[in-house]
Structures are given as structure tokens and as C-alpha cells.
Amino acid sequence: MTNKELKLKSIYLRKNLLKYIYKAKAGHTGGSLSCVDTLNVLYNRVLNVDPNNFKNPNRDRYIQSKGHCVEALFVTLADRGFFPESDLETLCQYQSHYIGHPTKKVNGVEQNTGALGHGLPICVGEAIAAKLDSKTHRVYTLLGDGELPEGSNWEAFLSASHYKLDNLYAILDNNKQQITGYNKDVMNTDSVRQKLEAFGWAVKEVDGHNLEELEDALNNGPFEEGKPNFIIAHTIKGKGVSYMESVTKWHHGVPTPEQYELALSELTEAEALI
């Protein structure tokens, strides 16, 4: 896949997640749009995973801690061939496996997540297990900045540095907002870089919508031998749709028919410029 094709893929994934949120009349729209570039790079340029042999013990592990933004994960997994995209027609329907959070019933999903602050602690365990078994695969998680204040995350930050887990990569989708407003007003998470470095992590900051920067950070670790890796991906909630960008109400808003058509039109215009 060329760099141009990778950029076009991000537009395609944005259109797709909007399509299924619109159809299901439910979903975490803004956060899914902010993290889709990270997922695109992970699944197309970074992770060693095979849709046809997902349980290969040597695979890289990816656990999406910000589980509420599962729509971005589902469309990415479908695009990589983990399951037929037609399965997503059942999104959020009764007895569907494709519900509002990741579940291990879906091929390609490592762990059930959704309760905030659980993904990173699980990944710490996975990374310790890999070290004990002398395995070389890497462990990745995507955190939401709204879940960062959870105490379980900070216990995991301490454990990861104590056990020198340089095979662990935590990515922060730093879109600066959560369901009730800006993080700085709800629970201030500024100076996260300094906090994490004080906890013994190696930290990089990237533009979370710059695919080249994301790929460079995710593929060139560990940043420091013996230290877990933390990537602050600066993103925009609702990225790609003008009336959604940085507007809190789109945390889990569903567009009207007119808004949906406008969103698709804007994304098509962006596509033509690539």
C-alpha cells in the first residue's frame, strides 16, 4: 500500500464508521473519528497480525482501552479481512456480536474492553508474559485522554516501568475532550508527558492525524531500552467533518440525514485533494 493509498484509506474508514453509526442510530462518533488514523496505521503498517490465523502465539497484541470508540475498530478489522463487512449491518442490534464495545466474540478482538482504565493493565500483564516467555512480539494499547485519570492506569504506569516493559506501547488519543466537556475543566490531564517521564516511561509526541509521524513512532521502538513507550497522539475530536470537529455534543451524536450527507460530501472533497 502506498502512502497515498494509506491516506485514502483513512477517508474510507471515516465514511464507513459514519455509515454504520448512522444506520444503527448509535455510536461514539467524535472519538472514533479522532482515533481512526492511529488504527489505520497500526493495522496496515505496524501490527504483525493475520486475519486468517488470529490466534498465532507470535502475533502482536492490540487492546483498545478506549472501547467505546469501537466503531473505528470494527471498520478497520473488517477492512483487513477479520470478518465480512456485511456483519456490521447488525451493529447494535439484538443478539449481534457487534455491540457498543469490543468483545472477544468478534474475530480480531483480543479482549473485552469498555470500562475505563482496563486496557493498559491487561497490556502490562501481556507484556510481562512475553518477557517471561522470551517472546519478541509487541503489545499495543490505545487510551482515551478522558480515561487517563482512572487510578488503574497509574498503577499500570508504575508496574510497566518497574518491570522494564520496553515491548509495551501505549498510545494516547489526545483529543482533549470527553463526554461532559474539555478535560482541562473535568479533570486536568495537562503535563502528561512530564508525569509519564517521572514514572519512568519514554515519551514521544506526534500529530495524530499525520500518518507518517504515527508510523515512524510506532515502528521505531523501543524509544529507550528498558523503558515502556508512550505516544501522545494530538488529535481533533470529530476529525474530518467540519461541524463535528471539537464540538463536545458529538461525543456520541448521530447525524440527521442532512448532516450525514454533508459529512460524506466533505470527506469526498478531502478525498479528491489527496
Side-chain angles (χ1 to χ4, degrees), residues 75-92:
V75 295
T76 304
L77 290 175
D79 182 67
R80 275 297 314 272
F82 283 88
F83 52 80
E85 189 187 310
S86 57
D87 286 5
L88 294 178
E89 296 291 337
T90 68
L91 181 70
C92 291

Side-chain angles (χ1 to χ4, degrees), residues 18 33 238-245 259 262-263 266-267:
L18 285 172
L33 288 168
K239 174 66 177 177
V241 180
S242 62
Y243 61 86
M244 293 184 183
E245 289 191 353
Q259 288 172 328
L262 178 58
E266 290 184 358
L267 290 168

Side-chain angles (χ1 to χ4, degrees), residues 20 178 182:
Y20 290 110
Q178 54 186 282
Y182 280 87

Side-chain angles (χ1 to χ4, degrees), residues 239-263:
K239 174 66 177 177
V241 180
S242 62
Y243 61 86
M244 293 184 183
E245 289 191 353
S246 301
V247 178
T248 303
K249 76 172 187 176
W250 288 105
H251 181 87
H252 51 38
V254 177
T256 64
E258 294 77 17
Q259 288 172 328
Y260 176 60
E261 291 302 322
L262 178 58

Side-chain angles (χ1 to χ4, degrees), residues 142-162:
L142 178 64
L143 293 157
D145 52 357
E147 72 168 320
L148 203 57
E150 296 290 336
S152 52
N153 281 328
W154 294 92
E155 293 178 49
F157 288 140
L158 281 173
S159 299
S161 61
H162 176 81

Side-chain angles (χ1 to χ4, degrees), residues 123-134 139 159-160 163 165 167:
C123 286
V124 168
E126 291 274 6
I128 291 173
K131 290 279 187 183
L132 290 173
D133 292 340
S134 300
V139 181
S159 299
Y163 291 105
L165 301 180
N167 56 344

Side-chain angles (χ1 to χ4, degrees), residues 203-215:
V203 182
K204 283 190 176 182
E205 297 187 51
V206 301
D207 176 345
H209 302 303
N210 184 313
L211 305 185
E212 290 82 4
E213 284 188 27
L214 282 166
E215 182 178 355

